[in-house]
Amino acid sequence: QVQLVESGGGLAQPGGSLRLSCTASGSIFSINVMGWYRQAPGKERELVATLAWGGVTHFADSVKGRFTISRDNARTVYLQMNNLKPEDTAVYYCNLVVTGEDYWGQGTQVTVSS
């Protein structure tokens, strides 16, 4: 059974920073992609950033230049969020794609407010 455990959400002021982390555990033989999505109240879930395990990254236009995505040598992916804006407020979900399947974390709340 695959599990994704997220941490690092919380409250930040506009212009501030937060770092999210997501660790995958369980029977995982080969990771294809890990990434982050977010869902704001009343809106659909949207892609924030993805990282293919070979190193290719992809970012939503709204976060380019402000967010970075990285990983360690195991099964943890990080989302560094700088220069946060109120419109970044959402529940952030970690996503793991392995061959033939994908998995989701439980979500972590990020609130940007003064």
Side-chain angles (χ1 to χ4, degrees):
Q1 187 175 359
V2 175
Q3 284 191 318
L4 300 177
V5 178
E6 301 143 333
S7 62
L11 175 65
Q13 291 187 341
S17 299
L18 286 173
R19 189 192 196 204
L20 306 182
S21 64
C22 172
T23 299
S25 63
S27 299
I28 303 169
F29 298 102
S30 179
I31 294 175
N32 292 344
V33 181
M34 288 188 77
W36 294 92
Y37 290 70
R38 67 186 181 187
Q39 187 167 18
K43 295 187 177 181
E44 293 187 353
R45 190 173 298 189
E46 63 176 4
L47 178 147
V48 177
T50 61
L51 172 61
W53 234 232
V56 176
T57 59
H58 178 73
F59 294 91
D61 287 344
S62 60
V63 306
K64 283 180 180 177
R66 300 188 297 121
F67 291 11
T68 59
I69 188 168
S70 61
R71 67 175 178 94
D72 64 7
N73 290 328
R75 298 176 176 181
T76 298
V77 66
Y78 305 96
L79 184 69
Q80 178 66 43
M81 304 184 293
N82 298 326
N83 191 21
L84 284 161
K85 302 177 180 181
E87 51 264 42
D88 295 318
T89 296
V91 177
Y92 284 69
Y93 296 91
C94 179
N95 174 253
L96 164 67
V97 179
V98 298
T99 302
E101 298 184 56
D102 69 330
Y103 300 90
W104 295 91
Q106 79 283 359
T108 185
Q109 176 70 45
V110 170
T111 302
V112 184
S113 174
S114 55

